[in-house]
Each structure stands twice: as C-alpha cells, then as structure tokens.
Amino acid sequence: MRLSRFFLPILRETPKEAEIVSHRLMLRAGMVRQEAAGIYAFLPLGLRVLRKVCAIVREEQDRAGAIELLMPTIQSADLWRESGRYEAYGKEMLRIKDRHEREMLFGPTNEEMITEIFRAYVRSYKDLPLNLYHLQWKFRDEVRPRFGTMRSREFLMKDAYSFDIDQAGARHSYNKMFVAYLRTFARMGLKSIPMVAETGPIGGNLSHEFIILADTGESEVFCHRDYLDFDVPGADVNFDDVAGLQAIVDRWTSLYAATSEKHEPDAYAKLPGDKQVTARGIEVGHIFYFGTKYSEPMKAVVTGPEGNEHPVQMGSYGIGPTRLVAAIIEAFHDDAGIKWPDPVAPFRVAILNLKQGDAATNGASEALYRDLTARGIEVLYDDRDERPGSKFATADLIGIPWQVMIGPRSLAEGKVEIKRRADGSRELVSTAAAADFLSKQA
C-alpha cells in the first residue's frame, strides 16, 4: 500500500478526551474515530489490526474444536423472558421496539439465543459435546464509557457456548477454552494470567478472567510472581486429552491469582514477599461454567444413553477483539508511539523514501516495494513528498515492526538502513539483500 493513496488521518495533537495511552495513540494514529459516547468507527489502519486479532482468535477457537456461526445483533425480548434475565439485566441493555410494537433488544450477549438454536436442532447426547462461537458486534449501555475501545458501549465480541451431557464433559469443555485462551493471548505477544473472578450477570459458579498486567489497567489484581514465567501450551496440545488438559489447568490455577473482587488478603499474605505481585490489570478474556442456568428454564434437553431427558450443561467464553487492540497498545508502546508485535501489526514493513523525487531513491524504493509485495509481505510505502523527520515520526507512531530508510547517503554505498521498531536497533543491509533479510524477519 502506498501511503499517498492510503486513508491515514494522523493527528499531531493529543485529543483532550483521551485518558489512557491506548486511547491517545489510537486517535493520533488514525485507527479510530469517536462517533458518539463509547461508539467508534474503525478506520483502515485500525481495521487491519482488528482483523489480525480476529484471525488469531478464530484459529485458536477452531483448533480447540469450536464451530463458527453468526447470530443476529437484534434479539427478541421473549427469549430473555424465558431465561428470566430480561428485567434483571438492568439499564445496560438497550431495549427497543419495532414498528409492530414488538419488544426487541440490541444483544449484550447471546446465551438465550444460542440456547434457542441448540434446542431447535439437537435431541441426543450423541450430538454432544458441541461448542458454537461467533464474532459479532454487541451493545452495552455503560453508565460511563471511557478509555476508548477499552470500555466502549458498542464492541466486537467473540463469544462461544458449550453444550455437554454431564458436568464432567462440561468441565472438559471449560478446560479446552481455558487452554485456547492462554494460546490466543500468547500469540499476540501478551502474557495473560487466569484469575478467579465474579460471574456477574452471566451467572454460574465457576469463572476465570484472563488478565494482562499493565500500569493503566482498570483494576487492582494480585498474583504469584511465578505465573510470569509459566510456559504456554504449544500448538501440538491435544484438546481431546482430558487428563492432559486438566493437568495444564491445574498448574495454571495452582498458585494465588485473584481480581480485587475475589482477593483474599490473608491467603495472599502467606506468599513469600518476593513472590507477591500487586499490579493493575486489564481483562482480555472471561470464561464461565453455569451448568443448567439457561437450559432448564428454556427446556434445552437431550436424551441420554439410558433414554431419559437431561437439561444440557453449558458454559460461555468471551474475548473482546476491540478491547484487545487497545490492550496490546497498552502493553507495547513508548513515547514515540505504538510498537506492534509482528502477528497483529497492520503492515509488517514500512519503506521510507527519504528523498521523494530523487531518481535513485525512487528506483530503490519502488524495487523493494514490488519485491516484498510479490513475496506476500504487507508493506506500507511512504512515498509522500514530506521531510524525513515527518516520515520517521509517522512510522514510529503507527508502530510498523520493520522500517526501511532509503536515502541518498546509504544508497551511495549500495545499502539501506533497516530499523526494528521493537527495540530501535538498526542495521545497514545491501540493497540486493534487503528483501531476503526482511523476508526472514517477517
């Protein structure tokens, strides 16, 4: 993509309404634009990152055996009355009526709808276990939306729902998502720590929040320091291995880790002083096991092997990709801007033509741009007629992992300068070897 043809509305000044780093940088880097309180348009650069995040989420859900579908955003109030949640949910639910005065709502979550879909088609335990997920825009009318896409009213959510014949099967489904979440966040460069959490309006008696530690986190969290060194399960993890998955979950829940709502000061105080971590945390995922909370009132039953009907055991599992984009920025930035981890970067390489209009720099920049593009590497080519300082500032702000500076001085030696945004390291590479060098990195 040539920057001269790309839509990238960079802001030079920090908007006054932006309270935290991710909000400031997403606005300044032209990733999002606020359209109403807590409602954002994702602009081209932000959308590219959001799609990368969603792709990783999908890959790990599929790896764990979940099956994707897509449910509508507008739901019937009747479904929520069946479960008993319509009145109980509170003012966060946006209630509406259609032209026929039928009561509807803009879905804040989908437990009722997925239960209705399940009961319409599944009759036998032989069709279980089943885990269905989707990525869909949701709306919760927050009293005070803040922090940009970290706590917005409209947001993109990956929500998955598991169905099992008994508690043992449901626990295995829970463990699958537990491990899938560890892998999902690790692939984005994030160290997540599962912490015992409140179930809130979703309900149930087993719940974990996946927390990343960040100075600008929403709430205080407490955990054992050893979690920071735990290895995440590899791509070869066997999601059908009941005992193996349980062992992974047991290890990741063996030490103290709790959100402020679940914090037990006496238990925490028993940890050695050098193992206590008190920090701010950002929730990037939340999983719930709630048994028959929805299946019993909504009569979602299956026939068991003995011929009797059983209400299915259920769980739900959420990840907010729009929140994740902000969380990644909170974890990876400096004073100059964003430092995207390679897997979620909007582009992998930025080419900076430092003397636009010069035959030599134009030729070298164009040749490298064509070569990298042909290799399938996503490139943002800054071909604008701007000063080098402006191009450096833009590249650092938007956080492309690899920057290639092509100017008359280095070209006179047959070389280009390559900068790694993550650590600022630089290397002179011959023009002939630049594409091969970047291919190995990207």
Side-chain angles (χ1 to χ4, degrees), residues 64 70 173 228 273 288 329 360 369 383 386 388:
L70 181 60
S173 292
L228 302 177
F288 306 83
I329 294 173
Y369 176 57
D383 60 341
E386 296 278 353

Side-chain angles (χ1 to χ4, degrees), residues 70-297:
L70 181 60
M71 290 177 274
T73 57
I74 303 300
Q75 303 183 32
S76 168
D78 291 341
L79 280 178
W80 285 66
R81 288 195 174 97
E82 280 192 56
S83 71
R85 279 207 304 174
Y86 184 67
E87 299 299 337
Y89 201 88
K91 291 184 177 181
E92 286 188 355
M93 180 189 290
L94 182 62
R95 294 166 169 83
I96 56 180
K97 289 185 179 181
D98 65 13
R99 66 171 64 198
H100 302 292
E101 294 298 310
R102 287 180 294 229
E103 291 180 296
M104 314 289 283
L105 58 101
F106 195 127
T109 184
N110 278 75
E111 281 80 9
E112 284 80 3
M113 184 170 285
I114 197 68
T115 303
E116 188 277 330
I117 291 172
F118 175 89
R119 74 184 181 190
Y121 297 107
V122 181
R123 298 282 187 269
S124 170
Y125 76 97
K126 295 178 181 179
D127 296 320
L128 303 180
L130 183 65
N131 189 323
L132 302 172
Y133 80 96
H134 69 161
L135 282 101
Q136 176 214 54
W137 290 95
K138 291 181 165 49
F139 188 91
R140 295 177 187 170
D141 200 1
E142 297 277 356
V143 174
R144 189 187 173 198
R146 56 198 302 229
F147 302 152
T149 66
M150 190 74 76
R151 183 169 290 280
S152 54
R153 292 195 296 165
E154 186 181 57
F155 54 95
L156 187 62
M157 175 68 73
K158 185 287 302 181
D159 39 324
Y161 303 92
S162 62
F163 302 86
D164 287 273
I165 184 63
D166 55 26
Q167 292 183 1
R171 184 56 197 252
H172 183 51
S173 292
Y174 187 92
N175 290 348
K176 286 182 179 181
M177 290 293 100
F178 188 106
V179 174
Y181 276 35
L182 290 175
R183 285 193 40 77
T184 297
F185 303 129
R187 287 186 56 190
M188 299 175 194
L190 300 172
K191 170 66 76 172
S192 66
I193 301 172
M195 300 191 180
V196 176
E198 293 284 0
T199 57
I202 302 297
N205 55 15
L206 177 62
S207 175
H208 285 89
E209 287 183 11
F210 288 75
I211 302 289
I212 64 167
L213 306 184
D215 292 339
T216 52
E218 301 168 284
S219 59
E220 196 171 31
V221 296
F222 308 84
C223 69
H224 196 292
R225 186 172 299 278
D226 286 0
Y227 276 123
L228 302 177
D229 298 319
F230 274 19
D231 292 327
V232 171
D236 60 347
V237 62
N238 182 359
F239 283 96
D240 294 323
D241 181 355
V242 176
L245 279 195
Q246 187 64 58
I248 294 172
V249 174
D250 288 345
R251 182 166 187 263
W252 278 89
T253 55
S254 62
L255 304 175
Y256 189 91
T259 59
S260 56
E261 295 86 356
K262 287 289 191 176
H263 181 48
E264 298 178 8
D266 291 344
Y268 183 67
K270 293 178 182 178
L271 301 182
D274 62 343
K275 295 296 184 180
Q276 295 179 357
V277 174
T278 303
R280 308 297 294 180
I282 299 172
E283 177 195 337
V284 290
H286 202 160
I287 61 177
F288 306 83
Y289 164 60
F290 42 69
T292 59
K293 176 180 172 64
Y294 300 93
S295 59
E296 283 191 341

Side-chain angles (χ1 to χ4, degrees), residues 414-418 427-435 437:
K415 295 181 178 180
V416 298
E417 185 176 19
I418 298 178
E427 188 169 348
L428 285 172
V429 178
S430 71
T431 54
F437 176 87

